[in-house]
Amino acid sequence: MASSRETAAPMKQSSLRRVVTASMAGTVVEWYEFFLYATAATLVFNKIMFPPSDDPYAPIIAAFVTYAVGFIARPLGGIVFGHFGDKYGRKKLLQLAIILVGVATFLMGCLPTFDMIGYWAPALLVALRFAQGFAVGGEWGGAILLVAEHSRDKTRGFWASWPQAAVPIGNLVATVVLLVLSRTLTEEQFLSWGWRIGFWLSVVIVAIGYYVRTRVTDAPIFLEVQREVEQSKAVRFGVLEVIRRYPRGVVTAMGLRFAENIMYYLVVTFSITYLAVALEVDTSEILGLLVIAHIVHMIVIPLIGGLTDRVGRKPVYIIGTIGAAAWGFVAFPMFDTRNPVIIVAAISLGLFIHAFMYAPQPAIMSEMFPTRMRYSGVSLGYQVTSIVAGSLAPIIATALLASTGSYVPVAVYLAIAAAITLVAAVSLRETKGSSLHELDRLDEEKLASEKVAADA
C-alpha cells in the first residue's frame, strides 16, 4: 500500500489551483465573519449590547469577554471536526463549517440591543459567538489539509500558505464593509442599524463559498488511507490517538502558535482599542489604515510560505518570533505620533512580522502527523492554544493599559509570549521537503510492530 502511494503522480498545477481556490473561498467567508465580530466588539457591541459605564474600558472588556467565547469554542470545534474529518473526509466537514458560521453570523445581525431586552442581548450574543467559534475551529485544519495533502513535497510550504492568506482577505472585506458603512451613515444610523448590514451580507458570501467547495475532492493520499482504516478495524484515529502517539507534535504546535496568536490579536484588535480610546483617533480613519495593513499581510504570506521551501521552516519561524518580541516596543511609540502614515507602518510591520510565523504553520503542522489522524492533530495543536493566547490577549492588554496608563506592560506581555514560542521554534524538527507518504509508512511500521508484539 505504502509504495503505491509513494509513486502516485503529483497533482496537475491547474487542479491544485482549483483546490487552493476552494480552500481559500471558505476561509475568506469564515474570517470575514470572525473579524467582523472582532471589529464590531470594539466599535459597536460595547456601546449597544452592554449596560453603560463611566469607565470607557469597562464595556470594551465586556465585549472582548464575549469575543473570547469564540476562542473557547474553537478547540471543541477542532476536536469534533478533526475526528469526523479524519473519518469521513476534509471536504464534507468544510461544507458543514461554512454553513454553521454563516447562520450564526446572520443571526448576530438580527439581535436586539441591551436597551430592548436587557441582559438577554449579551447572552444571545455569547451563544451565537460560541457557534461561530465552533465552526471556525473546524475550518482551519480542513482548509489547510485540503491543500497540503494535494501539494508536492518540495512546494508544500508555498501552496499550503495560501489558505492563511485568505484570512487577511476576509479581514480586508470585513474592514471595507464597515468602513463604507461608517463613512456613508451618521454615527447614530451606524449604531442603530447600519452595522447589521455587514452581518447580513454573510448570506451571499456563504453561498459563493459553499458552491466553490463542492467543485473539489479530497486528496488521493487521504482517500487511500481512509480505505485502509475502514478495512482494518484495529487502526484508530482521533484526538486521543494523536495525544497518545504524537504528544511532542501536539505540544510543539501549541508552543509555535502561542506568540503568533497573541501578536495577531494585539495588532488587529487591541490596536483599534488603543487608537480609538487612548489616542481618540477617528473610527473611519482606523478602518482605512487597517485596509492597507491587511493588503500587506495578504501579499507577504505566500511569499514567505515559498521562502520556507527554499531555506526551511525553522529559520523563518525563528525570525518571526524574534521580531514579535520587539514589535510592541517599536509600534506603540509609532502609534503615539498620531501620524496616519506612521500608524499604518506600525500595523503593517506587525502583520509582516506575524507572517513569518503564520505562513509556515500549515506545512509544519501537516508534516507532524500521519494522514489517518492529521486533521485531529493539526486542529488540536492549533486551536487549543487560542484559549490562553488570542482569546485573552485583547482582554489582558486592555486591562494592562487601563490599570497602568502605559503601553510598556503590553509590549512586555508580547515579548514574554515570544520567548515561549522561541523555545518551541528552536526545538522544531526541520521538515522542509519531507514526504507525507513516508510519514504514513513509518506510522504503518509502528502499528505493525505493535501488533506483532501484542500477538507474541
Side-chain angles (χ1 to χ4, degrees), residues 11 15-24 146-147 150 216-217:
M11 191 177 207
S15 299
L16 181 56
R17 289 195 187 100
R18 186 168 63 248
V19 171
V20 170
T21 301
S23 177
M24 291 183 69
L146 197 63
V147 179
H150 276 98
V216 299
T217 59

Side-chain angles (χ1 to χ4, degrees), residues 101-122:
V101 77
V103 170
T105 305
F106 178 81
L107 292 177
M108 281 183 184
C110 303
L111 283 177
T113 65
F114 184 85
D115 289 340
M116 296 177 182
I117 59 171
Y119 284 95
W120 277 106

Side-chain angles (χ1 to χ4, degrees), residues 255-279:
L256 293 174
R257 177 85 165 125
F258 189 65
E260 173 270 309
N261 198 221
I262 288 175
M263 181 173 187
Y264 185 73
Y265 288 100
L266 290 184
V267 175
V268 303
T269 303
F270 175 72
S271 64
I272 298 176
T273 300
Y274 187 78
L275 293 169
V277 180
L279 303 182

Side-chain angles (χ1 to χ4, degrees), residues 70 72 74 88 94 124 127 130 158 221 230 233 238 336 451:
I72 296 172
R74 280 167 65 175
Y88 297 113
L94 285 174
L124 290 172
F130 186 89
F158 173 70
I221 187 174
E230 289 174 352
K233 301 299 181 183
D336 289 345
K451 187 176 185 302

Side-chain angles (χ1 to χ4, degrees), residues 82-374:
H83 176 83
F84 290 104
D86 281 330
K87 184 174 183 180
Y88 297 113
R90 287 68 164 116
K91 174 183 171 179
K92 292 179 181 178
L93 273 296
L94 285 174
Q95 290 173 314
L96 175 61
I98 198 173
I99 292 174
L100 181 57
V101 77
V103 170
T105 305
F106 178 81
L107 292 177
M108 281 183 184
C110 303
L111 283 177
T113 65
F114 184 85
D115 289 340
M116 296 177 182
I117 59 171
Y119 284 95
W120 277 106
L124 290 172
L125 186 64
V126 166
L128 292 175
R129 176 62 176 168
F130 186 89
Q132 193 185 51
F134 183 86
V136 171
E139 159 71 22
W140 185 84
I144 65 106
L145 291 186
L146 197 63
V147 179
E149 291 178 342
H150 276 98
S151 302
R152 299 170 185 261
D153 297 336
K154 293 182 178 180
T155 57
R156 186 176 299 116
F158 173 70
W159 289 111
S161 69
W162 277 96
Q164 302 289 72
V167 174
I169 294 174
N171 293 347
L172 175 63
V173 175
T175 304
V176 169
V177 168
L178 288 173
L179 179 61
V180 171
L181 292 172
S182 66
R183 287 190 172 177
T184 55
L185 302 174
T186 65
E187 184 175 359
E188 182 180 356
Q189 290 173 326
F190 181 71
L191 290 176
S192 176
W193 55 268
W195 64 271
R196 299 180 186 273
I197 296 174
F199 287 83
W200 291 337
L201 283 175
S202 65
V203 173
V204 177
I205 306 175
V206 164
I208 296 172
Y210 182 86
Y211 172 76
V212 172
R213 282 192 168 169
T214 64
R215 315 300 293 175
V216 299
T217 59
D218 284 309
I221 187 174
F222 168 77
L223 295 175
E224 185 157 352
V225 170
Q226 184 185 40
R227 287 192 295 269
E228 291 178 8
V229 171
E230 289 174 352
Q231 293 169 4
S232 176
K233 301 299 181 183
V235 177
R236 291 183 287 182
F237 52 89
V239 171
L240 294 180
E241 183 76 351
V242 171
I243 294 174
R244 184 169 73 90
R245 291 187 173 276
Y246 295 91
R248 174 174 175 169
V250 173
V251 173
T252 301
M254 290 178 177
L256 293 174
R257 177 85 165 125
F258 189 65
E260 173 270 309
N261 198 221
I262 288 175
M263 181 173 187
Y264 185 73
Y265 288 100
L266 290 184
V267 175
V268 303
T269 303
F270 175 72
S271 64
I272 298 176
T273 300
Y274 187 78
L275 293 169
V277 180
L279 303 182
E280 299 181 345
V281 178
D282 181 69
T283 297
S284 62
E285 183 179 344
I286 296 172
L287 292 172
L289 299 176
L290 283 172
V291 167
I292 299 172
H294 288 317
I295 292 173
V296 172
H297 203 208
M298 174 185 68
I299 293 171
V300 300
I301 285 175
L303 295 177
I304 294 173
L307 182 64
T308 69
D309 288 324
R310 295 191 295 274
V311 304
R313 325 298 193 209
K314 185 172 179 175
V316 170
Y317 216 102
I318 289 175
I319 290 171
T321 306
I322 295 172
W327 179 80
F329 298 100
V330 175
F332 287 102
M334 295 173 71
F335 290 153
D336 289 345
T337 66
R338 291 181 170 84
N339 184 311
V341 175
I342 297 177
I343 290 173
V344 76
I347 297 174
S348 298
L349 175 63
L351 292 180
F352 178 76
I353 292 170
H354 173 264
F356 276 82
M357 295 181 286
Y358 199 53
Q361 283 179 1
I364 290 172
M365 294 188 189
S366 297
E367 292 157 353
M368 284 180 173
F369 308 101
T371 305
R372 67 186 175 95
M373 61 179 76
R374 185 171 291 125

